[in-house]
């Protein structure tokens, strides 16, 4: 019995050590810093300062509003795109080529992609020129320094997470399920809403959670595309650590952001669970 358990324990040591060293230990350091003064005395003043200041609540609202809108947009765009890749494209080489085009930008730095969008979104950039050319607008729009500009950058960056998770879920739904549904007299719309969509919902929810978490914690894209006009919570945290050097207050901001984000994700998960009758 001991001989069979030893290899399992040895295999668990490395990932457990990695998890402790690079997740639990830094998290504990941030938590302890948020609950102490610069002199090491215990205090809750940092959290009182955050919760009692309307400015922090406003920044939180802006952050979560952008994150929620990003998640909704990625879901609305990503699900049809995943359906197209999995169900419409039948030639596998062409499908692989499309997947490569989808994934390749993920290997590029967020800084490079954000600078690229800064070039595209300026008043005389390609986006404004294209909108004017097709007659959607008469004069250049302002994208940089607005929430719309941040949304465009975040959607472009995070859309592959929805497409990949939903596509994987759709690929697991066999054709036999649809044929059986059709044999029972269901229309294609009924088959989708009653069978395919519920079966793909776990993949959709996991992708939506990833998009929301990444959008809420994003720093580079909002910082560059906001032009200093809009502040999100990650920018406040970075400011405390890099400019003010107030690690205690920065730790409190980090823990507040973490708790708020996890609370929203938990609520969304509970609401999406199927009701048992």
């Amino acid at each position: 019995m001991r001989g069979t358990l030893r290899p399992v324990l040895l295999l668990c040591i490395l990932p457990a050590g990695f998890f402790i060293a690079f997740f639990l230990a830094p998290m504990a350091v941030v938590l302890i810093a948020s609950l102490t003064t610069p002199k090491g005395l215990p205090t809750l003043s940092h959290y009182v300062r955050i919760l009692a200041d309307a400015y922090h609540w406003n920044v939180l609202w802006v952050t979560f509003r952008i994150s929620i809108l990003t998640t909704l947009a990625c879901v609305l765009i990503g699900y049809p795109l995943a359906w197209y890749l999995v169900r419409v494209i039948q030639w596998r080489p062409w499908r692989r080529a499309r997947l490569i085009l989808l994934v390749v930008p993920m290997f590029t730095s967020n800084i490079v992609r954000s600078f690229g969008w800064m070039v595209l979104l300026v008043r005389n950039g390609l986006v404004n020129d294209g909108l004017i050319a097709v007659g959607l607008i008469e004069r250049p729009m302002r994208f940089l320094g607005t929430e719309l500009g941040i949304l465009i950058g975040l959607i472009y960056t995070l859309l592959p997470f929805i497409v990949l998770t939903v596509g994987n879920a759709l690929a697991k739904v066999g054709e036999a399920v649809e044929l059986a549904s059709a044999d029972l007299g269901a229309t294609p719309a009924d088959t989708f809403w009653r069978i395919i969509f519920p079966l793909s919902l776990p993949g959709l929810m996991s992708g939506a959670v990833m998009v929301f978490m990444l959008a809420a914690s994003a720093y580079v894209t909002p910082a560059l595309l906001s032009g200093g006009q809009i502040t999100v919570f990650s920018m406040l945290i970075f400011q405390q650590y890099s400019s003010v050097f107030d690690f205690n207050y920065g730790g409190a901001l980090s823990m507040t952001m973490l708790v708020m984000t996890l609370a929203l994700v938990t609520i969304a998960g509970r609401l999406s669970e199927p009701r048992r009758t």
Side-chain angles (χ1 to χ4, degrees):
M1 189 67 178
R2 293 181 179 179
T4 57
L5 288 177
R6 184 174 298 175
V8 177
L9 293 176
L10 291 176
L11 289 174
C12 292
I13 288 176
L14 183 60
F18 182 88
F19 180 75
I20 293 173
F22 294 98
F23 182 79
L24 290 184
M27 190 67 65
V29 172
V30 173
L31 178 60
I32 293 172
S34 69
L35 295 172
T36 57
T37 65
K39 295 182 179 180
L41 300 176
T43 182
L44 292 175
S45 61
H46 305 303
Y47 291 99
V48 173
R49 177 183 172 186
I50 294 171
L51 299 177
D53 191 349
Y55 173 74
H56 293 99
W57 287 104
N58 182 57
V59 174
L60 270 175
W61 166 240
V62 171
T63 303
F64 288 138
R65 181 172 67 233
I66 292 175
S67 303
I68 293 171
L69 291 175
T70 300
T71 304
L72 291 176
C74 286
V75 168
L76 293 176
I77 300 172
Y79 198 102
L81 182 56
W83 180 274
Y84 171 75
L85 291 174
V86 175
R87 295 305 182 94
V88 177
I89 299 179
Q90 299 297 328
W91 192 38
R92 290 187 176 181
W94 184 238
R95 182 186 301 170
R96 292 196 187 100
R98 292 299 181 90
L99 287 174
I100 291 174
L101 290 176
L102 178 71
V103 175
V104 162
M106 299 177 66
F107 295 94
T108 307
S109 170
N110 281 339
I111 298 177
V112 175
R113 284 183 284 181
S114 297
F115 273 119
W117 277 110
M118 290 178 66
V119 174
L120 293 173
L121 295 176
V122 294
R123 290 188 178 273
N124 59 345
L126 183 61
V127 174
N128 272 310
D129 290 345
L131 292 176
I132 293 174
V134 298
L136 293 178
I137 58 175
E138 296 181 356
R139 62 186 65 182
M141 290 180 59
R142 179 190 173 197
F143 289 103
L144 297 181
T146 65
E147 290 188 16
L148 179 59
I150 298 175
L151 281 172
I152 293 173
L154 289 176
I155 292 169
Y156 169 78
T157 303
L158 302 177
L159 182 63
F161 291 96
I162 289 286
V163 178
L164 294 176
T165 54
V166 173
N168 183 57
L170 290 174
K172 293 181 180 179
V173 181
E175 185 179 356
V177 176
E178 299 181 48
L179 294 176
S181 176
D183 290 339
L184 293 174
T187 64
D190 290 335
T191 301
F192 174 78
W193 288 112
R194 296 187 178 185
I195 298 176
I196 298 177
F197 183 75
L199 290 176
S200 64
L201 191 58
L204 179 62
M205 288 304 302
S206 61
V209 168
M210 284 192 292
V211 169
F212 178 80
M213 298 284 285
L214 292 172
S217 60
Y219 169 77
V220 173
T221 300
L224 292 178
L225 297 182
S226 68
Q229 303 297 317
I230 299 173
T231 302
V232 295
F233 219 76
S234 59
M235 296 167 65
L236 286 182
I237 297 171
F238 182 80
Q239 182 183 23
Q240 295 299 318
Y241 278 102
S242 64
S243 302
V244 184
F245 299 107
D246 191 344
F247 302 110
N248 303 93
Y249 185 54
L253 289 171
S254 302
M255 298 306 300
T256 301
M257 182 65 183
L258 176 63
V259 171
M260 293 287 188
T261 304
L262 291 178
L264 287 178
V265 170
T266 302
I267 294 172
R270 293 291 179 87
L271 293 176
S272 64
E273 289 180 357
R275 297 180 179 180
R276 298 181 180 179
T277 56

